[in-house]
Amino acid sequence: MFLFAFLFLSVWHFPILISQQLCSLQESCDLCLSAGADCVWCADLTLIDNSTTRCMIRDTQNSCSNIQDVVGNFTILEDIEFSQQVQIRPQKVKVRLRPGESITFNATVKPAPNFPLDLYYLMDLSYSMRDDLENLRSLSVEIASRIFNISSDSRLGFGSFVDKPLAPFISTTPSNLVDPCGSSCEPAYSFHHILNLTTDIDLFTDLIANTKISGNLDIPEGSMDALLQVR
Ligand SMILES: *[C@@H]1O[C@H](CO)[C@@H](O)[C@H](O)[C@H]1NC(C)=O
Ligand SMILES: *[C@@H]1O[C@H](CO)[C@@H](O)[C@H](O)[C@H]1NC(C)=O
Ligand SMILES: *[C@@H]1O[C@H](CO)[C@@H](O)[C@H](O)[C@H]1NC(C)=O
Ligand SMILES: *[C@@H]1O[C@H](CO)[C@@H](O)[C@H](O)[C@H]1NC(C)=O
Ligand SMILES: *[C@@H]1O[C@H](CO)[C@@H](O)[C@H](O)[C@H]1NC(C)=O
C-alpha cells in the first residue's frame, strides 16, 4: 500500500493596498514575515527615519540595504518511477510556506492498468428506499460491467442494513415484527452480509434481484453499525 500526501493550497491574494497596510503595522521582523506572503523587513540599521516602517511590501523602491525576506520552496523527497503499484509522482514533497503564500509544483498521475479494485455495495433497505432498490436492480448489470471495465482485476460484494431490531427503532407489535410494512417486507435487521467479494457478476445481479425491502420506525437508520461490519 502506498501513502500519498496531497496538499491543497488555497491562494489568498490581498489587494496590494490592504497588504501594504498590513505590512506597515508590523513592528518586528518576526511579525512582519508572518503577516503576509508579500511583506519584507528592512534590517538596515543606518535607516533611522522612523517615520517609515521597516516592514514593507516586497520590491518597494527605497534605500534599504538589508532586506530580510523568506520565500517558500519545496523539496521532492521521494519520486519513484511509475509501476503497477506507483500511480502518482512524486510520492513525497516537503513544502515550506509563509502564511498566505502559495506554491506550484507538478504532480503526474498515471493509472496502472487493471489495478486491483474491490467494490462493496452497501444498501439501505428501509422502506423509503424501495424505489432506490428498483433502480439498483435495473442498474446492477451496468454497475458491474462498468467496474470491470475500469479494471479486469475487480471484485464485487453486497450487503444491506435497516436498523437495530429493537424499540424505538422499529415497531415491536407482533405483526410488524414479522412484516414491518404490511406488504411482504422482510423483518428489520441491523446488517446482512449478502455476497462475499467475488468476480461472479451473475451472482451479484441475482442476489440484488432477490433482495427484499424492509422497514423501521424512526428516520435515522443503522448506517454506521453496518459500515463497521462490512467485510
Ligand atoms: C528611531 O527609533 C530608534 C529605536 O526605537 C531610536 O533609538 C531612535 O532614537 C529613533 N530615531 C529617531 C530619529 O526618532
Ligand atoms: C527552503 O527554505 C528554507 C527556509 O528559508 C531554507 O532553510 C531551505 O534551505 C530552503 N530549501 C531549498 C531547497 O531551497
Ligand atoms: C510543470 O511542468 C510544465 C510542463 O512540463 C513546465 O513548463 C513547468 O515549468 C513545470 N512547473 C514546475 C513548478 O516545475
Ligand atoms: C470501457 O472503457 C473504454 C476505455 O476506457 C471505453 O471506450 C468504453 O466505452 C467502456 N465501455 C463501457 C461499457 O463502459
Ligand atoms: C464468505 O466467506 C466466508 C469464508 O470465506 C464464509 O464463511 C461465509 O459464509 C461467506 N459469506 C457469504 C455471505 O457467502
Side-chain angles (χ1 to χ4, degrees):
M1 191 66 191
F2 236 85
L3 288 181
F4 301 125
F6 284 106
L7 196 59
F8 292 97
L9 306 170
S10 64
V11 185
W12 183 261
H13 278 303
F14 285 105
I16 288 293
L17 271 179
I18 295 178
S19 189
Q20 204 154 28
Q21 199 177 37
L22 190 76
C23 297
S24 66
L25 293 172
Q26 312 308 319
E27 290 175 354
S28 72
C29 183
D30 222 25
L31 292 173
C32 180
L33 295 185
S34 359
D38 299 325
C39 299
V40 300
W41 180 256
C42 174
D44 184 351
L45 293 178
T46 63
L47 191 81
I48 4 179
D49 179 6
N50 291 354
S51 62
T52 52
T53 165
R54 288 182 180 277
C55 188
M56 59 194 90
I57 291 263
R58 183 180 294 116
D59 298 332
T60 301
Q61 297 301 312
N62 59 28
S63 57
C64 184
S65 66
N66 183 356
I67 297 277
Q68 299 291 309
D69 193 2
V70 176
V71 183
N73 60 30
F74 67 92
T75 317
I76 291 172
L77 298 180
E78 195 170 301
D79 191 16
I80 299 170
E81 282 289 336
F82 287 119
S83 68
Q84 190 67 17
Q85 276 75 41
V86 179
Q87 302 183 54
I88 185 168
R89 290 184 65 180
Q91 292 84 40
K92 262 190 203 162
V93 180
K94 182 177 178 181
V95 181
R96 301 178 64 119
L97 294 177
R98 276 170 59 175
E101 191 178 9
S102 68
I103 205 164
T104 304
F105 62 85
N106 288 334
T108 317
V109 174
K110 183 178 172 192
N114 298 324
F115 198 70
L117 173 64
D118 290 342
L119 176 81
Y120 191 99
Y121 206 103
L122 178 64
M123 178 90 184
D124 176 352
L125 287 182
S126 59
Y127 194 64
S128 62
M129 296 297 284
R130 60 194 182 285
D131 50 338
D132 303 277
L133 178 58
E134 284 312 315
N135 284 337
L136 179 61
R137 281 188 183 128
S138 61
L139 290 173
S140 63
V141 174
E142 191 172 345
I143 291 172
S145 66
R146 290 270 181 118
I147 294 296
F148 278 86
N149 197 27
I150 295 171
S151 168
S152 61
D153 189 5
S154 292
R155 295 186 302 173
L156 297 168
F158 181 60
S160 64
F161 64 93
V162 188
D163 211 341
K164 292 181 182 65
L166 295 167
F169 310 108
I170 64 161
S171 161
T172 51
T173 59
S175 65
N176 280 337
L177 280 178
V178 179
D179 183 345
C181 39
S183 56
S184 65
C185 280
E186 234 186 338
Y189 52 88
S190 180
F191 168 68
H192 276 173
H193 170 57
I194 298 167
L195 176 65
N196 280 328
L197 287 168
T198 176
T199 55
D200 189 339
I201 297 183
D202 293 340
L203 200 53
F204 177 74
T205 54
D206 283 356
L207 285 170
I208 289 173
N210 293 324
T211 299
K212 280 175 136 184
I213 203 81
S214 180
N216 64 327
L217 270 189
D218 61 346
I219 291 173
E221 326 297 8
S223 334
M224 196 54 80
D225 289 8
L227 274 172
L228 290 172
Q229 295 176 81
V230 162
R231 53 191 110 158

